[in-house]
């Protein structure tokens, strides 16, 4: 943990800025694509009408968003984090295009 | 965290995230908690800030009061798109009439609003004031900025808050051992205990209030899923809201004039439907049109919002729809929103909501102070860096300055001339001016002295407010207690109670505090947990 | 009823505090023996359950549950403040 007397290098600042963007924007894209995929799957299986699925997974998405932010700021390697967030969002979106 | 990346220790990473997620937007979070907390008594604050409004005693029937309201609206705005009559309840004494106009007035107004005294049937000429609603509105719409921008700023702050709460739970490893632990006069340790206890003991409230804050603007804050599946057009939004609130569509005008049904009939139906609840409002859409619809709402006796509405054909008086069945997820989100607003709360529960809101503000405030204390204690005799000195001073401006601003708002309500142009807006200007002055004072004075002076000023303003009220109006404690106007009396008494609490705080500030805790001070402290925040 | 529910919840929280070594030392001046700790935890659970039942039976399920959480929260606060006051006396 950064102590009170930590010297903040430029690398450290960029690391934080990148993680912030990944947590905030990446988290948003991740929960949106996952929600779209799940809502489309539930609608196809006739478990829930599409608007209901969208609503339910959007409500759930706020907590998932926080979970993603926690993981982004926990994992040691920024590259893995970026791959994890962008890759999973791309995967969810691709699957969503397949099932919708 | 190392200088180049996170080393993977979960609790430490979460402690870092907890600190910064809470700290970065703490000013905004404190503002939201303080103004939102006043919102739990918005109707009561409205009543105090409108001393011309009638006192509670009247024996007029609900139907007669509703008729008074509609008579006024029919006389003043016969062509309006909507006539709304809000009836006096436990929390308000005047009849509130409201009309949405078909065309804006020359001044650009799209609605009119007025208050009627139920005892006399006369219009109450109340002073222009923001009242409790202005404070309540500020907690989600802020001030001096467009609504559309403000709700997103508040949304980001709320998301940070939720993240700070969740990480705080992870960080607090001795959550049960420290459940009742509050050690006073122990420097930094006391602030940590204060921060922990204000958040842990009110944790259900904190989680509920933060999550529900996001649910209010579900599709504004997280529209991605809806955009991907249903499209980005307005039709997608309409389809979603049509699904969530079936039967709540606005009626379409037919263009054929018609006479509205006597309100007595629908009110009798409503009274038999809700024998133990008060009728809260009667609302007519498209008055004077054959397609007009009437809605009657009662004081909510359960959690779910929208669970106490009846819809009538406003021409025939027939029931159109009785509390449309919402889908389960809509009931869930409506219940969450009702929990946030506490609409169902009786006065006992409302007070508990109010105190919980103050605990939320205390949680943010103690977090701010704890952060500064930790940095100062780590200096070990070195000169205080400029950024730390700046933050310590802004902490004062935030924590004491905002309550000073709110008290100035109440003082302005009694001091500004009643006929003043833009009076309601100037009350709010006074709030922000006082807040700005608090920051300036904190920057100009020696810090401890500045704390004492601002807390003393706050105490004086709270204690003297009932006296100012007695000088400027006749709804002072001497009268309100005799008349049984407990809303206004309660406001004055609460102000005095806050004044006394500020006096205790001032006394606490005048006693020298230990700088920091480096070693156990008592035998009990030997078992104390390490600082985790 | 508001007060009764709160008092029962206060009793429950007091029992929980008494079951903890640190708090029991402050309140009673002695550490609880194992049997008493267990009894205090059971008593606390029963009293909090009773408080929840009171809330739900009087105000209905939804509002009753909210009211119970409010009682429990302020009961815990009262116990914490009492214990800190006891500590400051010692």
């Amino acid at each position: 943990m950064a102590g009170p007397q930590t010297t903040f290098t430029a690398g450290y600042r960029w690391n934080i800025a990148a993680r912030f963007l990944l947590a905030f924007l990446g988290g948003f894209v991740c929960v949106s694509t996952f929600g779209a995929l799940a809502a489309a799957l539930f609608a196809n299986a006739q478990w829930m009408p599409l608007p209901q699925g969208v609503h339910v997974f959007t409500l759930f998405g706020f907590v998932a968003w926080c979970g993603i932010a926690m993981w982004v700021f926990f994992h040691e390697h920024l590259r893995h984090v970026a791959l994890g967030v962008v890759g999973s969002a791309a995967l969810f979106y691709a699957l969503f295009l397949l099932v919708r | 965290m190392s200088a180049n990346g996170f080393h993977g220790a979960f609790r430490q990473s979460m402690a870092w995230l907890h600190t910064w997620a809470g700290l970065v937007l703490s000013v905004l979070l404190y503002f939201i908690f303080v103004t939102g907390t006043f919102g739990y008594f918005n109707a009561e604050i409205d009543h105090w800030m409108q001393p011309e409004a009638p006192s509670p005693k009247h024996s007029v029937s609900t139907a007669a009061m509703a008729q008074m309201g509609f008579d006024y609206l029919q006389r003043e705005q016969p062509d309006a798109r909507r006539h709304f009559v809000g009836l006096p309840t436990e929390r308000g004494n005047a009849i509130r009439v409201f009309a949405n106009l078909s065309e804006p007035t020359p001044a650009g107004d799209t609605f009119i609003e007025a208050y009627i005294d139920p005892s006399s049937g006369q219009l109450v000429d109340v002073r222009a004031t923001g009242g409790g609603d202005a404070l309540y509105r500020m907690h989600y719409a802020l001030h001096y900025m467009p609504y559309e921008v403000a709700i997103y700023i508040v949304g980001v702050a709320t998301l940070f808050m939720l993240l700070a709460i969740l990480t705080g739970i992870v960080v607090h490893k001795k959550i049960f051992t420290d459940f009742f632990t509050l050690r006073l006069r122990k420097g930094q340790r006391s602030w940590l205990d204060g921060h922990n206890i204000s958040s842990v003991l009110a944790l259900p409230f904190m989680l509920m209030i933060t999550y529900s804050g996001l649910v209010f603007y579900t599709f504004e804050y997280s529209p991605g899923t809806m955009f991907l599946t249903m499209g980005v057009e307005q039709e997608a939004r309409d389809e979603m809201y049509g699904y969530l609130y079936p039967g709540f569509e606005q009626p379409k005008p037919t263009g054929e004039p018609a006479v509205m049904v006597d309100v007595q009939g629908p009110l009798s139906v409503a009274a038999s439907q809700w024998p133990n609840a008060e009728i809260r409002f009667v609302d007519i859409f498209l008055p004077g049109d054959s397609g007009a619809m009437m809605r009657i709402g009662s004081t909510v006796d359960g959690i779910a919002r929208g669970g106490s509405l009846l819809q009538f054909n406003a021409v025939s008086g027939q029931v159109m729809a009785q509390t449309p069945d919402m889908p389960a997820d809509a009931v869930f989100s409506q219940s969450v929103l009702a929990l946030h607003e506490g609409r169902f709360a009786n006065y006992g529960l409302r007070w508990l909501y109010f105190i919980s809101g103050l605990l939320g503000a205390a949680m943010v405030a103690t977090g701010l102070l704890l952060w500064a204390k930790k940095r100062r204690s780590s200096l070990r005799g070195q000169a205080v860096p400029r950024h730390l000195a700046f933050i310590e001073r802004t902490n004062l401006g935030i924590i004491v300055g905002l309550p000073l601003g709110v008290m100035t708002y109440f003082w302005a309500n009694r001091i500004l001339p009643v006929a003043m142009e833009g009076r309601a807006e100037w009350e709010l200007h006074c709030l922000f001016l006082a807040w700005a002055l608090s920051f300036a004072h904190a920057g100009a004075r020696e810090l401890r002295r500045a704390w004492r002076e601002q807390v003393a000023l706050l105490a004086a303003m709270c204690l003297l407010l009932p006296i100012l009220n007695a000088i400027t109006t006749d709804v002072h404690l001497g009268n309100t207690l005799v008349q049984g106007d407990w809303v206004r009396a309660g406001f004055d008494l609460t102000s005095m109670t806050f004044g006394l609490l500020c006096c205790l705080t001032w006394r606490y500030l005048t006693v020298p505090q230990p700088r920091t805790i480096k070693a156990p001070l008592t035998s009990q402290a030997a078992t104390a947990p390490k600082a985790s925040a | 009823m508001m007060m009764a529910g709160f008092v029962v919840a206060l009793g429950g929280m007091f029992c929980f505090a008494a079951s903890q070594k640190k708090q029991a030392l402050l309140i009673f001046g002695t550490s609880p023996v194992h049997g008493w700790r267990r009894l205090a935890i059971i008593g606390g659970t029963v009293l909090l359950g009773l408080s929840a039942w009171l809330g739900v039976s009087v105000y209905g399920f939804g509002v009753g549950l909210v009211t119970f959480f409010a009682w429990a929260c302020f009961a815990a606060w009262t116990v914490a403040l009492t214990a800190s006051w006891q500590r400051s006396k010692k």
Side-chain angles (χ1 to χ4, degrees):
Chain A
M1 192 170 103
Q5 298 304 299
T6 303
T7 308
F8 299 130
T9 62
Y12 174 87
R13 288 169 203 268
W14 278 112
N15 193 313
I16 297 296
R19 282 176 196 264
F20 174 76
L21 282 176
L22 281 168
F24 197 71
L25 296 179
F28 170 71
V29 176
C30 249
V31 296
S32 298
T33 49
F34 175 78
L37 171 65
L41 275 173
F42 276 54
N44 284 352
Q46 297 194 328
W47 288 342
M48 278 183 193
L50 185 66
Q52 185 169 28
V54 169
H55 187 227
V56 166
F57 288 106
T58 306
L59 290 177
F60 163 76
F62 291 123
V63 182
W65 202 343
C66 289
I68 292 170
M70 286 163 81
W71 179 73
V72 164
F73 280 96
F74 156 62
H75 200 281
E76 192 172 356
H77 302 292
L78 181 60
R79 198 171 299 170
H80 294 177
V81 171
L83 268 174
V85 172
V86 176
S88 55
L91 180 69
F92 292 145
Y93 186 64
L95 289 172
F96 163 69
L97 291 178
L98 280 174
V99 300
R100 74 170 177 176
Chain B
M1 200 181 80
S2 70
N4 296 314
F6 286 67
H7 54 48
F10 186 64
R11 206 183 288 272
Q12 274 182 297
S13 302
M14 291 305 101
W16 183 91
L17 189 55
H18 174 73
T19 302
W20 289 102
L23 203 66
V24 168
L25 294 175
S26 51
V27 185
L28 200 52
L29 290 172
Y30 186 73
F31 180 81
I32 292 167
F33 264 113
V34 170
T35 51
T37 299
F38 280 104
Y40 286 121
F41 285 118
N42 60 339
E44 289 74 11
I45 295 172
D46 276 349
H47 188 56
W48 187 87
M49 293 181 85
Q50 294 173 341
E52 301 83 5
S55 287
K57 283 176 190 163
H58 69 80
S59 53
V60 188
S61 71
T62 304
M65 288 191 287
Q67 201 56 56
M68 273 181 212
F70 284 118
D71 287 348
Y72 172 82
L73 289 169
Q74 194 58 38
R75 198 168 57 241
E76 298 294 324
Q77 294 294 335
D79 300 325
R81 287 186 292 116
R82 179 185 173 200
H83 285 166
F84 176 95
V85 176
L87 295 164
T89 61
E90 186 188 28
R91 300 185 59 209
N93 303 319
I95 303 167
R96 176 174 170 256
V97 291
F98 178 94
N100 281 115
L101 307 180
S102 305
E103 301 286 331
T105 63
D109 294 331
T110 54
F111 67 90
I112 62 145
E113 186 182 26
Y115 292 87
I116 297 171
D117 182 349
S119 307
S120 64
Q122 299 296 310
L123 212 59
V124 183
D125 189 15
V126 291
R127 63 184 62 194
T129 177
D133 277 337
L135 290 174
Y136 174 68
R137 193 182 141 76
M138 277 197 295
H139 98 279
Y140 62 88
L142 306 180
H143 201 59
Y144 300 124
M145 67 172 66
Y147 172 81
E148 292 77 15
V149 178
I151 60 166
Y152 284 104
I153 295 174
V154 171
V156 172
T158 313
L159 197 63
F160 273 53
M161 176 81 190
L162 185 59
L163 188 57
I165 291 175
L166 294 176
T167 49
I169 296 168
V170 172
V171 166
H172 200 355
K173 57 185 168 189
K174 292 188 176 176
I175 200 161
F176 292 110
T177 317
D178 285 350
F179 202 73
F180 300 105
T181 306
L182 176 62
R183 286 155 291 196
L184 298 175
R185 297 191 179 281
K186 297 280 188 285
Q188 186 181 307
R189 178 72 75 206
S190 297
W191 291 115
L192 178 62
D193 283 348
H195 184 63
N196 286 343
I197 210 165
S198 57
S199 43
V200 170
L201 295 187
L203 190 61
F205 174 82
M206 300 302 171
L207 280 170
M208 176 280 290
I209 209 78
T210 312
Y211 181 71
S212 55
L214 293 168
V215 175
F216 264 96
Y217 294 99
T218 304
F219 295 109
E220 280 78 12
Y221 292 158
S222 187
T225 302
M226 185 174 69
F227 284 171
L228 285 169
T229 51
M230 299 169 71
V232 294
E233 301 83 13
Q234 182 60 37
E235 286 75 38
R237 211 168 273 264
D238 293 343
E239 187 191 345
M240 177 57 80
Y241 287 116
Y243 158 77
L244 290 173
Y245 312 112
F248 281 78
E249 292 88 8
Q250 302 272 335
K252 302 273 187 300
T254 62
E256 293 172 26
V259 178
M260 299 295 98
V261 69
D262 187 345
V263 74
Q264 173 74 55
L267 278 173
S268 304
V269 175
S272 62
Q273 183 80 29
W274 306 307
N276 299 320
E278 292 177 286
I279 302 297
R280 203 154 49 92
F281 65 84
V282 184
D283 198 0
I284 300 182
F285 293 85
L286 304 175
D289 189 280
S290 64
M293 182 179 79
M294 181 187 288
R295 273 188 198 149
I296 296 182
S298 74
T299 47
V300 185
D301 53 357
I303 295 278
R305 292 198 327 173
S308 49
L309 268 180
L310 279 173
Q311 298 189 147
F312 297 87
N313 181 317
V315 180
S316 67
Q318 294 296 307
V319 176
M320 286 169 65
Q322 181 191 330
T323 314
D325 283 336
M326 288 191 289
D329 53 312
V331 171
F332 168 78
S333 61
Q334 287 299 310
S335 305
V336 166
L337 300 186
L339 278 174
H340 185 105
E341 292 178 323
R343 284 199 174 183
F344 53 85
N346 55 32
Y347 267 121
L349 193 53
R350 195 164 287 278
W351 271 107
L352 297 182
Y353 259 107
F354 181 79
I355 298 170
S356 298
L358 293 182
L359 284 180
M363 174 181 70
V364 179
T366 48
L368 279 169
L369 292 170
L370 179 62
W371 188 86
K373 286 265 176 196
K374 280 175 85 170
R375 262 82 200 146
R376 188 173 267 268
S377 66
S378 70
L379 290 174
R380 294 188 183 87
Q382 297 169 43
V384 178
R386 282 169 69 177
H387 75 271
L388 180 58
F390 175 78
I391 286 168
E392 284 179 332
R393 285 166 193 280
T394 46
N395 280 352
L396 169 59
I398 295 164
I399 296 166
V400 187
L402 181 58
L404 269 173
V406 174
M407 283 315 293
T408 309
Y409 176 66
F410 296 142
W411 275 64
N413 177 264
R414 290 298 192 255
I415 290 174
L416 293 178
V418 173
M420 181 183 179
E421 187 78 15
R423 188 179 190 283
E425 196 56 28
W426 268 103
E427 285 178 353
L428 288 168
H429 293 331
C430 288
L431 186 159
F432 287 102
L433 277 171
W435 198 9
L437 280 174
S438 159
F439 278 106
H441 175 263
R445 302 284 282 171
E446 190 266 320
L447 191 61
R448 277 194 73 79
R449 182 171 294 199
W451 268 95
R452 285 198 296 270
E453 287 170 352
Q454 291 205 20
V455 170
L457 178 62
L458 184 58
M461 287 182 83
C462 291
L463 289 170
L464 294 175
L465 187 64
I467 295 169
L468 175 73
N469 185 28
I471 293 168
T472 53
T473 72
D474 59 356
V475 287
H476 51 80
L477 277 172
N479 283 340
T480 51
L481 286 173
V482 173
Q483 290 168 358
D485 187 350
W486 288 106
V487 172
R488 287 196 180 108
F491 187 100
D492 281 343
L493 293 171
T494 307
S495 176
M496 290 167 77
T497 308
F498 272 106
L500 292 174
L501 288 174
C502 289
C503 287
L504 287 176
T505 311
W506 179 83
R507 192 166 163 270
Y508 175 80
L509 288 169
T510 54
V511 178
Q513 299 298 307
R515 292 177 75 92
T516 184
I517 303 298
K518 288 293 170 200
L521 290 183
T522 64
S523 57
Q524 284 84 40
T527 56
K530 286 176 182 167
S532 54
Chain C
M1 187 45 65
M2 207 69 184
M3 210 58 203
F6 173 73
V7 169
V8 175
L10 186 61
M13 286 296 177
F14 189 77
C15 284
F16 278 128
S19 73
Q20 290 185 2
K21 193 178 169 190
K22 208 160 46 171
Q23 308 300 332
L25 266 172
L26 281 170
I27 298 167
F28 303 114
T30 172
S31 188
V33 294
H34 187 70
W36 276 107
R37 278 194 68 177
R38 182 174 290 175
L39 200 64
I41 289 171
I42 293 169
T45 311
V46 168
L47 285 173
L48 281 183
L50 183 64
S51 171
W53 176 80
L54 269 175
V56 170
S57 61
V58 172
Y59 299 110
F61 183 74
V63 180
L65 216 56
V66 176
T67 310
F68 161 68
F69 273 115
W71 285 338
C73 165
F74 290 98
W77 251 96
T78 310
V79 171
L81 288 177
T82 310
S84 73
W85 173 69
Q86 287 278 5
R87 181 180 282 114
S88 67
K89 281 203 308 181
K90 291 185 180 191

